Amino acid sequence: GHIVHNWKVRWFVLLQDKLLYYKLEGGKKEPSPKGRILLDGCTITCPCLEYENRPLLIKLKTKTNTDYFLECCSREERDSWALDITGAIHAGHPMQVQELHRMKNSFKLLANISLHHIVDKMHDNSSGIKLTPNMEQGNRYKETFTGSAVVDWLISNSFAVSRFEAVTLASMLMEENFIRPVGARSIEATRYSDLSEQFLDDSTALYMFAESYKKKISSKEDLQFNISELSGTIVKQGYLVKQGHKRKNWKVRRFVLRADPAFLHYYDPTKEENRPVGGFSLRGCLVSALEDNGVPTGVKGNVQGNLFKIITKNDIHYYIQASCKAERVQWIEAIKPLT
């Protein structure tokens, strides 16, 4: 409410240019709307974390600077309403609406992302993620946070634009030992689920900071690259998941595809410096998609599919995992002309 700041149940109807809300009497909405929110010039904030005990809020600020706080019944409903309202706000710009729907399930993250920077921000006393004690199955854990709290925090701090993207980013933080699961539910997910499901966007899944979140750069990992390798024109870049050569574990890496000369380099997003941790010439390489029915020979661990394989002219095999079939096709089509 605007005068008395209490919370009332209202029936909302979204039109192309406005959001109407109605009073409910006897379980039915009244014939005339109680009020309306004009969407022209509105800005939307979702998730809105201004009310600590109300994590399911959407905030609308009109062009006359009136704030509306709307609480949904579930995260799925909140995200669905936020997407549709944002689409209505940009209704005059169909390309923006199309981009919003594409971003809803986007896997791509910021090109200059630094996991160290994110974790430092999470530790900030004033704007960081709130740490609370929690109980699970009789065990008491100090200074924990929930999976859904991490996802909300990443989105509200503009590190991700969708819950899917925030879960991917949180999985990276966990994979690189910046945060770790505590309690049976979150630990179980890391053992038996594939990469896309190892971090749980759930208010009952508990996590905490790992003691070794400040990883020191090992001199052994200081690989030297010829400057000419990195001088080519960037054709494509983005985050993919790569299987390691020795431990056969899966790591999120930022891949950069260059032409003239044709090289594919990959970077560790946990490292501050912009230096690749690996790479190879594409001349003479073979690249192909791998079938999704079963785990191919040479691939270890639980994988979600969408795999492709690159074999260098020195017969080194790289197994790489995209987030979806379309992304796999895009990468293969971009690599093939450079081989």
Side-chain angles (χ1 to χ4, degrees):
H2 287 293
I3 300 172
V4 179
H5 290 243
N6 54 355
W7 297 85
K8 297 284 189 182
V9 175
R10 295 287 182 254
W11 181 268
F12 280 83
V13 176
L14 176 62
L15 304 179
Q16 187 170 359
D17 60 344
K18 64 178 74 73
L19 190 61
L20 303 178
Y21 53 95
Y22 298 77
K23 287 182 70 174
L24 290 171
E25 289 293 339
K28 295 182 180 181
K29 73 179 182 69
E30 293 187 343
S32 299
K34 173 74 174 174
R36 62 179 185 171
I37 304 171
L38 298 178
L39 298 177
D40 179 41
C42 256
T43 58
I44 182 169
T45 303
C46 178
C48 170
L49 304 180
E50 292 188 28
Y51 288 84
E52 186 175 313
N53 61 339
R54 294 181 181 272
L56 303 178
L57 287 186
I58 297 170
K59 178 182 177 181
L60 291 175
K61 181 184 281 290
T62 68
K63 65 180 180 181
T64 58
N65 289 324
T66 302
D67 290 339
Y68 290 87
F69 294 92
L70 316 177
E71 184 173 39
C72 300
C73 299
S74 68
R75 284 180 171 78
E76 292 75 19
E77 189 177 74
R78 178 193 66 184
D79 292 347
S80 176
W81 271 99
L83 187 73
D84 291 336
I85 292 170
T86 306
I89 291 172
H90 297 295
H93 308 280
M95 291 301 293
Q96 289 189 32
V97 178
Q98 186 177 356
E99 178 70 6
L100 283 164
H101 283 272
R102 187 194 68 77
M103 286 168 60
K104 185 179 181 182
N105 292 314
S106 170
F107 187 79
K108 291 174 174 53
L109 304 173
L110 298 173
N112 60 345
I113 200 164
S114 163
L115 297 189
H116 280 284
H117 173 65
I118 293 173
V119 178
D120 285 342
K121 284 278 191 182
M122 290 176 75
H123 273 269
D124 188 276
N125 290 330
S126 58
S127 60
I129 194 162
K130 186 176 180 182
L131 303 177
T132 58
N134 275 290
M135 292 280 294
E136 186 187 301
Q137 295 183 347
N139 295 318
R140 184 174 180 82
Y141 302 99
K142 294 182 179 179
E143 297 188 327
T144 62
F145 38 81
T146 67
S148 56
V150 174
V151 171
D152 284 348
W153 186 89
L154 289 169
I155 294 173
S156 66
N157 284 271
S158 302
F159 290 117
V161 296
S162 68
R163 300 195 78 78
F164 181 85
E165 197 168 282
V167 167
T168 303
L169 186 50
S171 299
M172 292 167 60
L173 292 169
M174 188 169 64
E175 176 75 9
E176 300 297 340
N177 201 33
F178 288 98
I179 62 176
R180 64 182 182 89
V182 292
R185 186 145 195 275
S186 54
I187 291 175
E188 183 84 1
T190 64
R191 289 176 179 167
Y192 300 106
S193 299
D194 60 43
L195 186 76
S196 65
E197 298 172 347
Q198 286 185 0
F199 184 90
L200 299 178
D201 178 9
D202 193 295
S203 59
T204 63
L206 301 180
Y207 299 87
M208 66 188 304
F209 289 116
E211 292 180 6
S212 58
Y213 87 95
K214 289 275 189 185
K215 277 192 171 182
K216 293 183 178 179
I217 298 169
S218 169
S219 58
K220 293 180 181 177
E221 296 175 345
D222 247 359
L223 301 180
Q224 296 298 319
F225 289 90
N226 191 315
I227 293 175
S228 65
E229 289 185 25
L230 305 173
S231 64
T233 303
I234 294 178
V235 176
K236 184 176 177 61
Q237 60 180 317
Y239 286 85
L240 297 165
V241 185
K242 174 187 163 295
Q243 181 177 265
H245 288 292
K246 295 179 181 178
R247 295 178 57 198
K248 305 296 183 184
N249 54 350
W250 292 89
K251 299 281 189 179
V252 177
R253 294 289 181 251
R254 179 169 65 88
F255 279 79
V256 178
L257 177 63
R258 293 181 172 91
D260 301 320
F263 274 84
L264 184 63
H265 291 100
Y266 47 95
Y267 297 73
D268 185 343
T270 68
K271 303 293 172 64
E272 295 282 356
E273 78 278 5
N274 193 30
R275 179 181 300 176
V277 295
F280 51 91
S281 170
L282 290 172
R283 294 301 177 198
C285 283
L286 298 173
V287 57
S288 64
L290 296 177
E291 295 296 330
D292 288 341
N293 52 349
V295 179
T297 304
V299 175
K300 303 292 184 182
N302 294 320
V303 295
Q304 63 185 17
N306 307 313
L307 287 167
F308 63 99
K309 180 180 182 180
I310 302 174
I311 305 175
T312 70
K313 63 181 180 181
N314 298 325
D315 200 34
I316 299 173
H317 294 221
Y318 290 86
Y319 295 96
I320 301 169
Q321 190 175 167
S323 65
C324 62
K325 289 184 178 179
E327 187 180 50
R328 176 173 65 180
V329 169
Q330 291 169 10
W331 273 98
I332 291 174
E333 290 181 350
I335 292 169
K336 271 186 175 178
L338 302 177
T339 59

